[in-house]
Amino acid sequence: MAEPSTGERREFQAEVNRILDIVVNSLYSKREIFLRELISNASDACDKLRYEAQLDASLVKDDPDLAIAIAPDARKRTLTIVDNGIGMSHDELVENLGTIAGSGTAKFAAELAEAEKDLAKKEKSGVGLIGQFGVGFYAAFMVADEVAVTSRRAGSDEAWRWTSDGRGGYSIEKAPDDAPRGTAIELRLKKDAAEFSETARVETVVKTYSDHVGLPVWLAGDGGRRQVNEAAALWTRPKSEIAPDQYIEFYRHAGHAFDEPWLTLHNRAEGVIAYTSLLFVPTAAPFDLFDPARRHGVKLYVRKVFITDECEGLVPPWLRFLKGAVDSEDLPLNVSREVLQNNPVVARISKALVKRVLNELKKKAGKDPAAYAAFWETFGQVLKEGIYEDGERRGDILKLARFRSTGAEGWVGLDDYVGRMKEGQKAIYMLTGDKAEAMRTSPMLEAFGAKGVEVLLLDDPVDEFWTMSVDAYGETPFVGVNRGDIDLSGIGGGEAADDGADDEPGGDAAPLIAMIKLALEGQVKNVRASRRLTDSACCLVVEEGGMNARLRKMLRAAGQTHDESERILEINPKHALIRSLGDRAKGDGASRDIEAMARLLLDQALILEGELPKDPAGFAKRMSDAMAKAVAA
Ligand code: ADP
Ligand code: MG
């Protein structure tokens, strides 16, 4: 490979150069992972060929036994990794090895870009990130001065050779026509990486990282070549024979992951539909968890043959954090990816998988609440999408859901909440808003606080959606504390806020309310005395079924406008200000004062909702006037 290249010279994409900069100069101590990356790519390439060969057998006819061969050469200080998989055409070499297309590497690049923006992350950048994300193919440059990739795409009669020293660009030229199908990657090792040209060292690394690879890995040594792995897909082996480390390595290999699985589920189903599943819940969220284009990471196999990692029907979007493999015995091998979309076998497997995953989550939540809380913080937002997307599973998901609450520190489940409900309490009360911590001081909670009634604080945007469509948890209805008229008088215990006046909360304030209504005509739907306030003077609420402030804000941000005037201003007749205003309202010529005060009350209520006063200049002026009067008095 040392001869000077006469091929076409091309530059790497800028992101690739940034990654290579770090890789080439890194002193990353676990350099041996380059071999995992290359074996993983070789194994992917064989999987892809096996799938294509189901539709066109001629692709593998001349060389049907798919395998990976690794040849260290201590004398030449080289290491070569060969596979007879799908191979790459000229354009694929350019696309795959000169730009960032690969999933694993894209993740690294995205994090790197983030790290450059964010000082706090900067410490983690570079070498730290390699361990966390891996850099796929480019990891080869951690140990090699030069990498040569010779490849022939299955079915093509052209072979190409790609070479690079990892510094700025690469060359690509025609390779001899007798190059075999698949890909050979030849590494000219750096001086300080000579260990990877020794058979014994390479064998240890291969065993660590590739034992689960489902095809033979051959290693060349003094006594000829021998197979160094078991070559049985991990999920086909009995659970009792699989060590925890093997599961972890398989997870990293199959899921292009670099963390450890939070939960591992390995099962064989033998019923009407037979399949094996090996599923993982990751510990860390992938960077694109909320990217609408993101799919789940569960690969579909049919009798050990890889079919696709894009089978949408297999895992619902609200479980898209799952990774792993499902191997069916009932699907035909030559099933096309299109046919899979609406396949009844896939649908049944999916249903069973969902049930199993939810069950295991439930178990984990019961057994280890702290670990479950960590899971919930990472993936709870995604799981909650299932509450409105999957009517059938709604109850199960609600059981698994955790919320912030006024009743306890940390995460609270609905069963805990229901268990703590007060005598006479008939509903699960909740408040939605931007931040649970800020919501704790909301005036909406005053009467609940006084009665010791717990309120769930829902601060996730997705909460706005499911709370619109889900009425109850089992038999217990959900009630938004900023909705409709709240009457807590039937609930016993706590400091009663309902001291008689509650029956007719308007009471004395009736003339004042009438004047405020007049002053705010067109700006609010109604004005009434409040049963939910104990300390604050006023607040804004919505009718049962109306749109609350947060949803309104979200829709406004999304460019949808809505009628602002459908809210109700509630005033607290027991508040000193309202009482004085009430007295004032009974006197003569009060209407001008009351009008200014009414507007101030409304603006105050808006501010409490996290909104701006309607007319900030007018607000400031009215406020100054009121303050001037107070100072003068
Ligand atoms: P990833 O494996 O996450 O996609 P990599 O950087 O490891 O990212 O590889 C980039 C791409 O190069 C792969 O997606 C694949 O298309 C191609 N590739 C790498 N190695 C091989 C190989 N041995 N045979 C065929 N294609 C390969
Ligand atoms: Mg890879």
Side-chain angles (χ1 to χ4, degrees):
M1 79 196 250
E3 80 271 16
S5 165
T6 53
E8 180 194 353
R9 170 89 190 162
R10 294 196 182 208
E11 298 305 306
F12 283 125
Q13 187 193 28
E15 286 91 331
V16 173
N17 272 327
R18 272 205 311 214
I19 286 174
L20 281 169
D21 247 10
I22 290 169
V23 166
V24 170
N25 300 314
S26 93
L27 296 171
Y28 183 54
S29 60
K30 276 186 110 187
R31 293 193 298 179
E32 63 186 45
I33 58 137
F34 80 92
L35 200 49
R36 164 175 72 197
E37 297 299 327
L38 298 183
I39 292 174
S40 156
N41 286 347
S43 146
D44 287 351
C46 291
D47 276 352
K48 283 181 203 155
L49 176 59
R50 211 161 1 195
Y51 174 74
E52 288 199 8
Q54 295 304 326
L55 308 171
D56 178 3
S58 72
L59 291 178
V60 288
K61 232 179 24 218
D62 53 331
D63 182 11
D65 297 322
L66 301 182
I68 301 171
I70 300 177
D73 186 328
R75 211 172 38 80
K76 289 201 280 186
R77 211 203 307 144
T78 61
L79 178 66
T80 308
I81 295 103
V82 182
D83 69 71
N84 56 356
I86 191 80
M88 284 177 274
S89 65
H90 172 277
D91 291 356
E92 286 168 330
L93 279 166
V94 168
E95 169 79 10
N96 295 337
L97 307 186
T99 66
I100 292 195
S103 51
T105 324
K107 211 183 251 185
F108 183 85
E111 271 293 312
L112 202 59
E114 268 303 297
E116 275 165 21
K117 274 189 271 162
D118 182 348
L119 271 180
K121 280 195 181 166
K122 212 154 198 163
E123 294 178 1
K124 265 195 0 186
S125 72
V127 173
L129 287 174
I130 295 179
Q132 222 180 320
F133 296 102
V135 290
F137 168 77
Y138 304 110
F141 291 99
M142 289 200 280
V143 296
D145 288 323
E146 191 180 54
V147 177
V149 180
T150 308
S151 199
R152 185 160 70 86
R153 181 77 161 78
S156 160
D157 39 41
E158 276 181 0
W160 291 90
R161 183 176 163 88
W162 177 106
T163 45
S164 173
D165 59 3
R167 292 171 194 277
Y170 59 91
S171 305
I172 187 159
E173 64 192 332
K174 279 289 295 265
D177 282 343
D178 60 356
R181 181 193 73 221
T183 304
I185 300 184
E186 211 180 330
L187 310 179
R188 200 173 69 198
L189 295 166
K190 295 182 183 183
K191 260 206 192 86
D192 65 359
E195 60 189 293
F196 298 111
S197 64
E198 284 156 21
T199 306
R201 174 76 174 108
V202 172
E203 178 165 0
T204 323
V205 180
V206 173
K207 281 217 165 109
T208 317
Y209 293 122
S210 319
D211 194 44
H212 58 267
V213 170
L215 60 161
V217 178
W218 295 94
L219 180 62
D222 290 340
R225 61 175 216 170
R226 58 206 172 77
Q227 189 174 329
V228 288
N229 69 335
E230 266 199 55
L234 190 73
W235 63 85
T236 61
R237 304 185 208 167
K239 273 191 199 179
S240 55
E241 288 171 20
I242 304 175
D245 278 356
Q246 287 177 301
Y247 277 126
I248 295 175
E249 275 314 320
F250 175 79
Y251 162 74
R252 291 182 176 159
H253 161 82
H256 290 269
F258 298 85
D259 55 344
E260 290 194 5
W262 177 79
L263 187 66
T264 301
L265 302 175
H266 184 185
N267 282 97
R268 217 189 124 56
E270 310 258 11
V272 192
I273 292 197
Y275 65 91
T276 304
S277 61
L278 176 48
L279 300 181
F280 302 96
V281 176
T283 304
F287 75 103
D288 60 347
L289 188 58
F290 292 97
D291 179 344
R294 188 194 148 80
R295 299 196 196 86
H296 63 79
V298 179
K299 297 184 179 186
L300 179 66
Y301 291 75
V302 172
R303 290 184 289 281
K304 289 182 255 190
V305 176
F306 172 73
I307 303 294
T308 176
D309 51 8
E310 296 180 9
C311 181
E312 282 173 32
L314 193 59
V315 174
W318 50 274
L319 286 176
R320 61 182 173 272
F321 49 82
L322 289 178
K323 294 187 169 190
V326 171
D327 192 346
S328 158
E329 299 190 358
D330 303 299
L331 289 166
L333 261 178
N334 59 359
V335 65
S336 76
R337 289 172 182 146
E338 292 68 41
V339 165
L340 281 173
Q341 292 314 93
N342 297 308
N343 186 285
V345 174
V346 172
R348 290 184 71 160
I349 295 178
S350 172
K351 217 172 151 176
L353 293 181
V354 168
K355 191 168 161 198
R356 182 170 298 278
V357 170
L358 293 181
N359 255 332
E360 290 299 320
L361 288 175
K362 198 166 101 190
K363 269 195 223 158
K364 192 95 174 170
K367 259 198 300 211
D368 191 347
Y372 184 75
F375 158 79
W376 183 258
E377 265 168 46
T378 313
F379 296 117
Q381 255 181 303
V382 177
L383 205 64
K384 269 192 284 185
E385 293 172 15
I387 299 175
Y388 58 87
E389 277 179 11
D390 192 330
E392 215 178 311
R393 292 283 162 211
R394 174 169 298 162
D396 301 307
I397 304 171
L398 282 173
K399 204 181 234 336
L400 289 168
R402 295 292 180 270
F403 306 99
R404 300 297 182 193
S405 163
T406 60
E409 293 281 307
W411 294 103
V412 168
L414 292 174
D415 288 332
D416 300 334
Y417 181 101
V418 171
R420 285 196 288 261
M421 278 175 25
K422 293 271 175 211
E423 174 104 26
Q425 181 180 346
K426 296 204 174 57
I428 297 171
Y429 292 106
M430 53 195 195
L431 175 62
T432 55
D434 283 330
K435 278 218 160 65
E437 282 326 301
M439 283 150 69
R440 287 183 194 277
T441 54
S442 165
M444 307 284 177
L445 299 176
E446 288 169 2
F448 294 88
K451 284 259 184 181
V453 173
E454 180 170 0
V455 177
L456 299 177
L457 306 171
L458 311 191
D459 61 359
D460 182 350
V462 80
D463 293 327
E464 296 295 348
F465 294 100
W466 72 261
T467 52
M468 293 275 283
S469 55
V470 180
D471 304 327
Y473 176 58
E475 302 289 293
T476 319
F478 289 115
V479 171
V481 304
N482 54 349
R483 278 177 190 280
D485 193 11
I486 293 285
D487 183 3
L488 300 180
S489 57
I491 302 176
E495 284 284 294
D498 52 328
D499 38 22
D502 246 27
D503 303 334
E504 191 44 68
D508 245 14
L512 174 64
I513 288 176
M515 292 177 87
I516 297 179
K517 260 188 212 171
L518 210 61
L520 298 181
E521 208 182 323
Q523 300 188 52
V524 295
K525 189 172 177 190
N526 196 6
V527 179
R528 70 185 177 209
S530 183
R531 282 198 260 227
R532 75 190 87 214
L533 296 176
T534 60
D535 300 331
S536 302
C538 60
C539 67
L540 275 167
V541 302
V542 288
E543 274 306 16
E544 201 55 58
M547 207 182 300
N548 67 34
R550 185 144 179 263
L551 188 55
R552 189 191 312 273
K553 229 196 306 185
M554 284 162 54
L555 291 175
R556 208 191 293 136
Q560 303 187 34
T561 49
H562 279 271
D563 187 7
E564 295 279 328
S565 59
E566 63 190 36
R567 283 185 286 183
I568 297 164
L569 181 70
E570 286 196 354
I571 57 169
N572 177 4
K574 294 180 205 102
H575 192 277
L577 170 64
I578 303 295
R579 272 206 215 135
S580 318
L581 279 178
D583 293 343
R584 186 92 180 78
K586 286 175 206 145
D588 294 330
S591 61
R592 261 204 41 224
D593 282 358
I594 300 282
E595 190 190 331
M597 288 295 170
R599 286 168 167 238
L600 274 174
L601 283 174
L602 175 60
D603 284 339
Q604 233 187 75
L606 282 169
I607 291 169
L608 282 168
E609 293 272 294
E611 296 181 38
L612 277 178
K614 286 261 169 49
D615 162 22
F619 167 73
K621 180 168 185 325
R622 282 188 287 275
M623 183 63 122
S624 301
D625 288 351
M627 288 165 82
K629 267 190 197 156
V631 174

